[in-house]
Amino acid sequence: MDTLPFFADLAPPRFVSGISIVDVEGTLAFHGSSSAEPRAAFRIAAMRGTMRLFLCSNAADSGRVARMARDLGIPVLALRGRKPWGILPPDFLRGATMTVFGDKLLTDGLFAWRLGARFVKVRRLVSGRESLADRIAFAIDDFLASFFA
């Protein structure tokens, strides 16, 4: 999946309206990182004026994700449950055009499908310090995603 662009390298004119939900781990930040990758943070800043942005993460440390969202100036989408099966808050904008940006088909892609949103798969940020379980999950996800490329 090395042919995919990183989130930071996406051209924003393609995504100029509606709601965008951005995955954190592997898309915006390295797994376990306390801050967004600088170029990804710059892309968020560029997109912030053209659409409603939300962060969404399955990370166990919700405080870290909340701090990252605060630093980026965008809210966290608080799901009841986890992606891909998490339930949106009742007051979330239904019927709006939505895009989900993420690095994993099995969580972010299925989440987008459930929402009726467009899914933009991006190249995963990898630090080399990911656990063996994470690396196995990445390999399975990349294998399955290769059938949809």
Side-chain angles (χ1 to χ4, degrees):
M1 308 272 56
D2 287 349
T3 58
L4 294 171
F6 288 108
F7 176 77
D9 297 328
L10 293 174
R14 291 176 46 207
F15 314 106
V16 293
S17 65
I19 294 172
S20 289
I21 300 169
V22 182
D23 171 57
V24 175
E25 304 285 337
T27 300
L28 193 60
F30 294 103
H31 283 258
S33 174
S34 61
S35 61
E37 191 268 329
R39 291 181 339 107
F42 181 77
R43 174 61 57 223
I44 288 285
M47 295 167 76
R48 205 170 45 216
T50 62
M51 65 191 73
R52 294 201 51 194
L53 285 168
F54 295 87
L55 291 188
C56 192
S57 177
N58 280 343
D61 185 355
S62 60
R64 179 178 60 84
V65 174
R67 286 187 299 277
M68 192 179 300
R70 184 193 65 231
D71 292 346
L72 293 169
I74 59 175
V76 174
L77 179 58
L79 298 176
R80 228 178 45 221
R82 295 169 51 100
K83 294 181 295 178
W85 310 115
I87 298 169
L88 290 171
D91 60 341
F92 197 73
L93 300 172
R94 308 261 184 223
T97 302
M98 287 191 261
T99 303
V100 175
F101 296 92
D103 65 309
K104 288 186 277 320
L105 177 69
L106 291 175
T107 53
D108 307 315
L110 281 174
F111 182 57
W113 175 77
R114 277 195 54 245
L115 297 177
R118 175 178 178 207
F119 177 54
V120 177
K121 187 166 182 355
V122 297
R123 188 170 168 189
R124 184 174 301 115
L125 292 171
V126 179
S127 68
R129 294 186 305 266
E130 290 76 16
S131 70
L132 178 60
D134 282 341
R135 291 191 306 254
I136 291 170
F138 297 161
I140 292 168
D141 190 84
D142 290 344
F143 173 75
L144 292 173
S146 70
F147 292 101
F148 297 97

